[in-house]
Amino acid sequence: MLTTQETISCTAGYQFLLVSRTIERLQGFGMASRMTLLCLLGVLASASPAIADSGIYYQIAFMWPGAYCAQTKAGCCMPSTGVVPARDFYVSGFTVYNATTNDPETRCSNTPFDPTVIANIEGLNKYWSNIKCPSNNGKNGWKNAWKTAGVCSGLNEKTYFQVALALRDRINPLARLASKGIKPDFGLYSVKGIKKIIKNGIGATPVIQCSKGPFDKFQLYQIFVCVREEDGEFIDCPAPPKYTCSDEILFHPFKKWMLKQLKEEDAVTYVDPFVLPGVAME
């Protein structure tokens, strides 16, 4: 639950407004989770005045781990955290942009990164996971995210990561695509179709980044969505980057065997199953 010390405040008026706009997106959440998510998203509208006055918007990025594992020569490794990463899209960035210039806002202050502040955030190790080899605990990646973009967000450290994960839950790209038959099964899928499905769900067109996969085919690698700072609503990215994709792209599977295990002497006991909800893992 949120505390006063975490500087998260949600006024009744704003919660009512946000509920009216997002209730359909939150049907899968329990009441406690729903209220927590609403409060976190509400923080976007109440960032510090200095940041708000500068005019900013946010961009949340999601990486498909199956594509990452397939494209990197080093492969990918099981994290050393003792938590199995989700078989899902991971948060790969939560960036702040200047609404006037559309340039990223970076390193706005020297506010230090404190890993203990985010240690108990639910879902952090599963949905903002680092599967880069050699096996690591993800802290360097989180530190870089905070020091580069988080300090410009107008949010405190814990809230910055909580809001990113709340946005991931709200967008939920894998579930949206799977519900329309687009699954990580080596199939070829239309880029326009992928964009349309996500746009129909959140009201904004995402940006798709592709990479080269097996058989020299372009594959789905990352999805970017922009968020208005004033009210936390999704928007078309004002200056979307241009990425090269074919009309149809591969959706590469993500299997447990793709994650290299720790050496025996460094092995840990993993606490979560590597499964996609409703899908048995081979």
Side-chain angles (χ1 to χ4, degrees):
M1 298 296 294
L2 304 179
T3 67
T4 302
Q5 287 72 23
E6 291 166 349
T7 65
I8 301 174
S9 62
C10 302
T11 66
Y14 183 78
Q15 287 185 39
F16 178 81
L17 174 62
L18 196 54
V19 167
S20 68
R21 292 177 175 175
T22 65
I23 189 66
E24 290 183 359
R25 301 186 181 109
L26 299 174
Q27 293 301 317
F29 291 88
M31 180 59 69
S33 297
R34 204 176 304 164
M35 292 305 297
T36 299
L37 178 56
L38 289 172
C39 287
L40 288 171
L41 295 177
V43 171
L44 293 179
S46 57
S48 69
I51 295 293
D53 290 346
S54 67
I56 62 171
Y57 61 90
Y58 303 92
Q59 184 186 82
I60 185 86
F62 308 110
M63 181 192 76
W64 178 246
Y68 175 82
C69 293
Q71 73 191 38
T72 177
K73 292 181 180 179
C76 48
C77 289
M78 189 72 79
S80 60
T81 57
V83 178
V84 177
R87 191 182 172 197
D88 207 329
F89 282 91
Y90 302 157
V91 175
S92 55
F94 187 30
T95 311
V96 182
Y97 281 82
N98 184 297
T100 301
T101 65
N102 292 315
D103 292 327
E105 297 277 357
T106 61
R107 304 188 183 280
C108 301
S109 78
N110 293 320
T111 305
F113 172 73
D114 181 358
T116 64
V117 170
I118 63 172
N120 296 318
I121 293 180
E122 183 178 358
L124 183 66
N125 284 298
K126 293 183 69 173
Y127 295 106
W128 197 329
S129 187
N130 192 329
I131 55 175
K132 185 178 181 180
C133 293
S135 294
N136 65 92
N137 58 19
K139 289 181 181 179
N140 284 338
W142 300 326
K143 178 180 179 180
N144 183 64
W146 171 251
K147 296 289 288 183
T148 302
V151 294
C152 301
S153 66
L155 308 173
N156 65 40
E157 182 183 325
K158 187 171 187 177
T159 306
Y160 170 76
F161 288 95
Q162 287 178 314
V163 167
L165 292 168
L167 288 170
R168 199 217 72 85
D169 287 344
R170 185 177 164 197
I171 298 168
N172 205 356
L174 182 60
R176 292 188 188 278
L177 294 175
S179 70
K180 300 299 182 181
I182 296 180
K183 301 178 181 179
D185 56 5
F186 274 124
L188 290 173
Y189 297 102
S190 163
V191 172
K192 288 184 178 179
I194 292 171
K195 288 183 176 181
K196 183 178 180 180
I197 289 168
I198 296 176
K199 180 178 181 179
N200 287 345
I202 67 173
T205 302
V207 175
I208 304 297
Q209 181 182 9
C210 300
S211 61
K212 277 299 184 75
F215 317 114
D216 206 35
K217 296 285 188 181
F218 282 106
Q219 62 182 354
L220 177 59
Y221 177 41
Q222 293 199 103
I223 297 174
F224 302 87
V225 175
C226 287
V227 186
R228 194 162 50 210
E229 183 265 342
E230 292 89 340
D231 56 10
E233 287 295 296
F234 299 119
I235 58 172
D236 290 357
C237 293
K242 304 295 183 181
Y243 294 112
T244 301
C245 293
S246 51
D247 291 338
E248 291 189 326
I249 56 176
L250 189 75
F251 199 174
H252 198 290
F254 182 40
K255 305 293 186 181
K256 186 174 182 179
W257 59 261
M258 299 172 74
L259 293 172
K260 298 177 183 178
Q261 303 296 311
L262 296 173
K263 295 179 181 179
E264 185 174 351
E265 61 269 23
D266 297 326
V268 295
T269 299
Y270 289 97
V271 298
D272 295 307
F274 187 79
V275 296
L276 184 67
V279 178
M281 194 65 198
E282 299 93 71

